[in-house]
Amino acid sequence: MQFDPRTVAREISGIFDEIFPQLTPGIVAHFNAASRIVPVQSLCKDLLQQSALQRSMLFELGYIVGERLLKDAVEIDWSACFAETVRRQRVYFDAKLPEQLEPVDQHLAETVGRNLAAIMTSLSASTGHSIVFRPPIPGLEWIASGYGDFALGATLVEVKCTARRFSSADYRQVAIYWLLSFAAAVEGHGKEWENFVLLNPRSGEIVTMAFDAFLSIISSGRTKVDILQLFLSLVGSRLTR
C-alpha cells in the first residue's frame, strides 16, 4: 500500500521526529514570526457560518478558482470548478457531496481564489519566474508520487487556507517534498527544490525560506546526504513491518 506524501507528513509524523528532531512547536513559532502579511480581502465570519460545505472542500474550491483565474479565465465556470474539487478531495478525504453550490459558497470561494491569484501573480513578478501549476512530486518506496500546489523556478509554493498560523504538519509537508526531490536528484531523474513558500490566501500570511537554512535548523546539524540516508533507512524499515 502506498501513501500520498501529504498523508505521510500529517499522519506518520514519527518518521520526521527522528529525521528533523528540532522541528518543535517553538521552532515553528520562530518560523512563523518571520512571516510577512500582504493585503487580502478578508472572509466574512457570518458567511462562513452560513456555509454548509465542508471546510476542506470549500477552500479546495477556492484554490481551484484561483488556478482558473491565474490561467486567464474570463468567467468562473462553477460546474467545472466544483467537479474538479470533488475529484481532488476524494484522493485525500471522504468528501461529503452537496447537491449544489450555494451563493454563499461561491462568494467565499471566489474571495479566496482572487486573493490567491493576486498573491501568486505578485510573487511571479517579483521572482521573475512564471507560475508552474501542480509541479510533480516524485515517489519513493511506499510513498506515492504526487503534486505540489505551485512552483516558481526552483521554489516550491504550498497553499494553506486556514484560520490558524502555519503548523508543524505544514512544515513537515514541505520537508518531505524536499526529501523526495533530493532523492530523485541523487538518482539523476529530478531536480532538488531550493526554496519554499507557505502561503495563506485567507490571511495573506507568507513564509519564504531557502531549504538549506530550513534544514540546518531542524536537522540537528546533519548534512543533506545524512538526512537522506536516515530517511531511506526509516522508509526501508517500515517495509519490513
Side-chain angles (χ1 to χ4, degrees), residues 3-227:
F3 292 85
D4 177 85
R6 297 188 190 194
T7 302
V8 175
R10 296 187 176 278
E11 299 182 11
I12 314 178
S13 59
I15 290 178
F16 299 94
D17 292 340
E18 190 163 349
I19 300 173
F20 302 121
Q22 302 304 316
L23 188 53
T24 62
I27 291 298
V28 168
H30 169 73
F31 292 151
N32 286 341
S35 68
R36 60 190 176 95
I37 304 294
V38 298
V40 293
Q41 183 178 349
S42 60
L43 298 183
C44 176
K45 291 183 179 179
D46 289 341
L47 293 182
L48 276 171
Q49 291 176 349
Q50 292 174 34
S51 174
L53 203 60
Q54 282 182 316
R55 289 293 180 263
S56 59
M57 182 168 286
L58 175 63
F59 294 125
E60 184 78 47
L61 178 63
Y63 168 81
I64 290 170
V65 168
E67 275 189 331
R68 300 296 175 100
L69 293 172
L70 285 166
K71 292 176 180 178
D72 297 324
V74 176
E75 295 183 357
I76 300 171
D77 184 336
W78 287 106
S79 295
C81 287
F82 187 54
E84 180 63 12
T85 299
V86 171
R87 187 189 71 78
R88 294 187 191 182
Q89 282 284 293
R90 279 178 170 158
V91 175
Y92 308 111
F93 306 102
D94 182 16
K96 295 180 181 178
L97 310 180
E99 294 182 1
Q100 64 181 13
L101 285 176
E102 299 297 334
V104 65
D105 301 323
Q106 294 179 349
H107 175 82
L108 291 166
E110 183 172 354
T111 299
V112 170
R114 292 195 180 280
N115 287 346
L116 176 59
I119 295 171
M120 285 302 304
T121 298
S122 177
L123 289 175
S124 176
S126 64
T127 61
H129 291 289
S130 58
I131 300 170
V132 176
F133 297 86
R134 290 173 61 76
I137 303 297
L140 181 68
E141 299 287 359
W142 49 268
I143 302 175
S145 59
Y147 296 93
D149 289 331
F150 300 102
L152 298 165
T155 298
L156 176 70
V157 181
E158 285 299 300
V159 179
K160 305 297 173 186
C161 191
T162 68
R164 55 170 173 73
R165 307 292 298 275
F166 299 121
S167 68
S168 296
D170 299 330
Y171 287 100
R172 286 198 302 269
Q173 184 177 333
V174 294
I176 192 172
Y177 283 2
W178 169 81
L179 261 170
L180 294 170
S181 76
F182 185 59
V186 168
E187 294 176 357
H189 56 78
K191 291 186 178 180
E192 174 189 358
W193 294 114
E194 295 177 5
N195 315 287
F196 72 85
V197 173
L198 287 174
L199 184 167
N200 187 336
R202 181 173 172 178
S203 65
E205 184 175 18
I206 299 173
V207 169
T208 303
M209 288 191 72
F211 270 112
D212 283 351
F214 178 59
L215 296 170
S216 69
I217 295 172
I218 67 173
S219 64
S220 293
R222 293 188 182 99
T223 67
K224 291 180 179 180
V225 173
D226 289 339
I227 293 171

